[in-house]
Amino acid sequence: MNLRSVDLNLLVIFDALMLERHVTRAAARAAMSQPAMSNALTRLRALFKDELFVRTAQGMEPTPRALELGESVHQILLQAERLMHSAALFEPATSERAFTIRMSDLVGTLLLPGCMHRLASLAPGISLDVLHIAPERSIRALEEGQLDFAVSFELAHGRSIRSESLLPDKMVCAMREGHPLSKGRLTLRRFLDARHLRVAMSPTDLRFVDSKLAMRGLSRKIAVNVPQWLLVPEMLRQTDFLGVVSERFGNRFTSQGIVCKPLPFESPEFEWRIYYHHRNAHSKAHFWMMQLIIDAAAASLR
């Protein structure tokens, strides 16, 4: 195939169709009319000699050939975008870059307000796209260029991923003010006799609580699993449940009717870290953004 005869804009259109699986929505994503998108799809089918997308009741389903092409095309477009946003030309005050960051709502509570305050004054054109994906998927997303950064802790990764320290932390037991266990020492027996709230998507509860108890043949009484940390404070305020939370997160709510107490068993400190791919290690834009996040973390310690 002679690339000079190919309209490479068709790759952008193909990527939009893969993301949206719907002609009208893909047209909106690609900033073109629906008839123009339909015409481009006809040209894509001729170019790749495949139907590519089949109309179903749920939308446009990709064919095996489209699925085969999808990730490669997406990576090509990401690389092209990086070339167009040359790091050498990066100026924070005038940049309109968008960075994609993985962080949970817990970490977002700790870091995002400070980050956005700094961006508003130093780089008002820069935007953040914050995703909450499972920690085990974060490394793959960094490797595939779907993320610029991931904020988490103790992520297992290969040599292509690097990280920097952000915040030390530890897990504590949280409950409402006036809870029967809020006075005096929290013993292991009292901890186990209580009913608990657990954040189901988080590995912290499993690693720092449930796995520790399981090693001793013990387990908690889980009354409810919730998907987000920000549900925890209000649920604790209105029940007699216990919740195990990050101490830095819990301290944000001690003035709002929440009491935090040490766990009644050994639970080591851990460190929130920012992870990134080594391909961006010398990028002026990535270094600047990472330093801004590190500065926001440092400010939260004061």
Side-chain angles (χ1 to χ4, degrees):
M1 181 184 294
N2 184 354
L3 282 178
R4 293 181 181 178
S5 66
V6 176
D7 180 0
L8 295 181
N9 285 322
L10 289 175
L11 297 183
V12 176
I13 293 165
F14 174 83
D15 191 56
L17 284 164
M18 283 295 293
L19 290 169
E20 297 293 347
R21 311 291 173 94
H22 191 280
V23 171
T24 303
R25 291 198 299 267
R29 176 181 282 271
M32 59 196 304
S33 68
Q34 192 272 341
M37 174 61 71
S38 296
N39 179 264
L41 177 55
T42 300
R43 294 165 62 198
L44 277 165
R45 286 167 169 162
L47 177 64
F48 289 108
K49 298 179 174 60
D50 188 87
E51 193 69 9
L52 294 179
F53 297 92
V54 179
R55 200 177 297 275
T56 70
Q58 287 73 41
M60 302 291 283
E61 288 298 317
T63 66
R65 176 61 170 150
L67 292 171
E68 177 187 358
L69 292 166
E71 187 56 40
S72 295
V73 169
H74 189 68
Q75 291 302 315
I76 288 169
L77 294 176
L78 285 174
Q79 292 294 334
E81 187 175 3
R82 291 190 186 102
L83 288 174
M84 296 302 293
H85 292 91
S86 171
L89 302 177
F90 177 73
E91 291 295 339
T94 57
S95 175
E96 296 185 350
R97 286 275 313 248
F99 292 93
T100 304
I101 304 175
R102 182 272 172 197
M103 63 173 69
S104 68
D105 55 333
L106 185 159
V107 182
T109 300
L110 301 179
L111 298 180
L112 275 180
C115 288
M116 298 313 298
H117 176 76
R118 285 166 171 74
L119 285 176
S121 60
L122 300 175
I126 289 179
S127 60
L128 303 184
D129 187 9
V130 180
L131 307 179
H132 187 190
I133 61 177
E136 58 270 17
R137 287 180 51 210
S138 299
I139 294 300
R140 181 178 177 185
L142 286 169
E143 291 172 340
E144 294 178 351
Q146 297 167 1
L147 291 176
D148 293 298
F149 305 101
V151 179
S152 189
F153 69 97
E154 297 182 8
L155 293 183
H157 60 82
R159 297 176 63 183
S160 65
I161 303 299
R162 302 179 183 180
S163 69
E164 301 290 338
S165 172
L166 287 178
L167 289 169
D169 209 341
K170 63 181 179 180
M171 303 303 286
V172 296
C173 183
M175 65 196 76
R176 65 174 177 83
E177 285 183 356
H179 190 288
L181 302 183
S182 63
K183 303 295 184 182
R185 187 171 70 90
L186 179 62
T187 65
L188 180 58
R189 176 47 53 196
R190 298 172 83 190
F191 179 85
L192 295 175
D193 284 343
R195 302 182 75 205
H196 289 249
L197 176 158
R198 180 169 63 188
V199 180
M201 191 175 176
S202 171
T204 50
D205 274 13
L206 294 174
R207 190 175 307 178
F208 291 97
V209 184
D210 296 307
S211 62
K212 295 286 186 185
L213 293 174
M215 291 171 62
R216 302 168 64 171
L218 304 171
S219 63
R220 291 188 289 169
K221 299 174 183 176
I222 304 299
V224 58
N225 285 291
V226 297
Q228 298 167 339
W229 287 101
L230 288 176
L231 292 171
V232 172
E234 188 59 30
M235 291 191 70
L236 293 182
R237 276 192 287 264
Q238 298 194 38
T239 68
D240 276 341
F241 297 156
L242 300 184
V244 178
V245 303
S246 147
E247 183 177 44
R248 295 196 181 281
F249 179 76
N251 286 344
R252 296 294 178 100
F253 300 96
T254 54
S255 64
Q256 302 174 37
I258 296 298
V259 175
C260 292
K261 300 176 75 70
L263 290 172
F265 50 85
E266 183 181 357
S267 181
E269 287 193 354
F270 63 95
E271 189 174 58
W272 296 107
R273 301 185 69 83
I274 183 167
Y275 298 82
Y276 60 99
H277 198 279
H278 76 85
R279 75 169 75 88
N280 297 320
H282 301 293
S283 162
K284 180 180 177 182
H286 281 78
F287 178 82
W288 185 89
M289 188 67 231
M290 182 169 65
Q291 192 58 54
L292 181 138
I293 297 170
I294 291 172
D295 291 344
S300 74
L301 294 172
R302 296 196 285 269

